Amino acid sequence: MIQQQILNLDTIPKQDFDSFVPCAGNRTAVEFARRCANINDPEKLLYLYGPPGCGKTHLLNAIGKQVANNDYRIFNCAQMQAEDADILLDEMAEQPVLLIDNLDKLPADDRLRHTLWEAFNRQYNAGKPLALTGQIAPRELGNLDEHLITRLLWGLVAFMDISDDQARLQLILKIANDLQVVVPNDVANWLLTILPRDSEALQAGCKELYYEALKTKRKISLKLARELFLAKSDYRLQVEQNQE
């Protein structure tokens, strides 16, 4: 009988192409991201969109690492402030690859809209790669300059989705592999019925189960998983809803 090995390691998965879990809902996005990161590919512009936790930021990191090793930065629109517009423009101009996350979260401010448009143009005209993400399609990005929306449609555009169970199962097994533990198939399939559908929630739930096994010095099993999650009202409610 194979014994479960539990190691007390706080593994941080590498966000690169090799560690990304492909599935039917994101294969096009992965293909386009690899093209954007390939210095020999003429296509340098990419926009990825999809719900939170589908892997958009992971692919931005993968592109950054391939293009610039660790010498890159991801600019998060949700954290941008109008008073920093001039500084942001200078910092963006220095990047070997312009990576912008949460484009739909850009504050409604003319200075930031102009900064983003100017930075985009500089990078694009210099022939450097650009990769941007958001939760919605380009045409729905009403907070952006209309010219920028049009430019996004010139490049590669891909929707990302991991809502199907097969993709989520692959992700659970990938997380277990990162943690260097074995998650039995019955446990993995049961977790699909109780954990939220986004990748961040799946990762948090798997780690919670992992640390419970460490704390109690038990193997990861269906019994342990049920004891852990069904003791919490929000997870019980999820199971009840799935059974209706």
Side-chain angles (χ1 to χ4, degrees):
M1 182 175 64
I2 299 175
Q3 295 294 320
Q4 162 111 6
Q5 182 181 21
I6 299 177
L7 303 177
N8 192 6
L9 299 174
D10 189 10
T11 303
I12 301 175
K14 296 178 180 179
Q15 292 200 330
D16 55 22
F17 285 118
D18 290 339
S19 64
F20 193 84
V21 180
C23 66
N26 62 32
R27 284 197 179 94
T28 299
V30 176
E31 176 190 346
F32 285 176
R34 287 186 179 276
R35 290 188 61 186
C36 183
N38 184 350
I39 60 173
N40 297 316
D41 196 301
E43 185 56 70
K44 303 298 183 187
L45 173 59
L46 171 66
Y47 178 69
L48 301 174
Y49 70 102
C54 66
K56 301 186 297 293
T57 306
H58 186 137
L59 287 181
L60 287 186
N61 276 297
I63 292 169
K65 287 177 181 177
Q66 181 162 320
V67 173
N69 199 4
N70 288 317
D71 187 22
Y72 70 93
R73 173 183 170 185
I74 295 177
F75 294 87
N76 189 343
C77 288
Q79 299 172 356
M80 291 182 181
Q81 299 180 2
E83 56 266 29
D84 298 331
D86 292 337
I87 297 174
L88 281 170
L89 183 58
D90 291 338
E91 291 178 345
M92 288 178 175
E94 298 173 353
Q95 301 299 311
V97 51
L98 186 54
L99 305 170
I100 300 177
D101 209 1
N102 294 313
L103 201 53
D104 54 303
K105 303 299 182 184
L106 183 74
D109 182 271
D110 287 339
R111 286 172 293 178
L112 288 176
R113 277 194 289 265
H114 176 75
T115 293
L116 204 58
W117 171 237
E118 181 66 23
F120 180 96
N121 269 334
R122 290 184 184 183
Q123 191 85 355
Y124 188 85
N125 292 333
K128 296 180 181 179
L130 304 97
L132 309 93
T133 77
Q135 292 185 29
I136 54 182
R139 282 297 183 191
E140 298 174 12
L141 293 167
N143 59 331
L144 299 185
D145 186 293
E146 183 63 32
H147 295 91
L148 179 53
I149 296 174
T150 301
R151 285 289 181 90
L152 290 177
L153 294 170
W154 289 3
L156 301 170
V157 178
F159 175 68
M160 298 182 67
D161 179 29
I162 60 163
S163 60
D164 66 282
D165 284 346
Q166 185 57 39
R168 295 169 67 230
L169 180 60
Q170 290 177 353
L171 185 55
I172 287 175
L173 297 177
K174 173 63 174 60
I175 294 167
N177 184 64
D178 289 335
L179 294 170
Q180 301 181 39
V181 298
V182 176
V183 175
N185 288 336
D186 60 343
V187 177
N189 282 290
W190 185 79
L191 290 175
L192 292 179
T193 70
I194 195 168
L195 295 177
R197 305 194 74 82
D198 64 279
S199 64
E200 291 178 358
L202 287 175
Q203 181 164 309
C206 289
K207 284 189 173 183
E208 190 175 359
L209 178 58
Y210 165 67
Y211 288 118
E212 180 67 14
L214 283 176
K215 184 176 69 174
T216 60
K217 298 181 179 179
R218 297 167 61 185
K219 291 175 58 176
I220 292 177
S221 64
L222 186 56
K223 183 172 187 255
L224 178 63
R226 284 173 169 162
E227 289 176 3
L228 174 64
F229 292 112
L230 294 184
K232 303 177 181 183
S233 59
D234 51 343
Y235 288 113
R236 284 202 309 272
L237 178 60
Q238 180 68 38
V239 171
E240 292 168 0
Q241 291 175 342
N242 290 337
Q243 292 176 343
E244 290 179 355

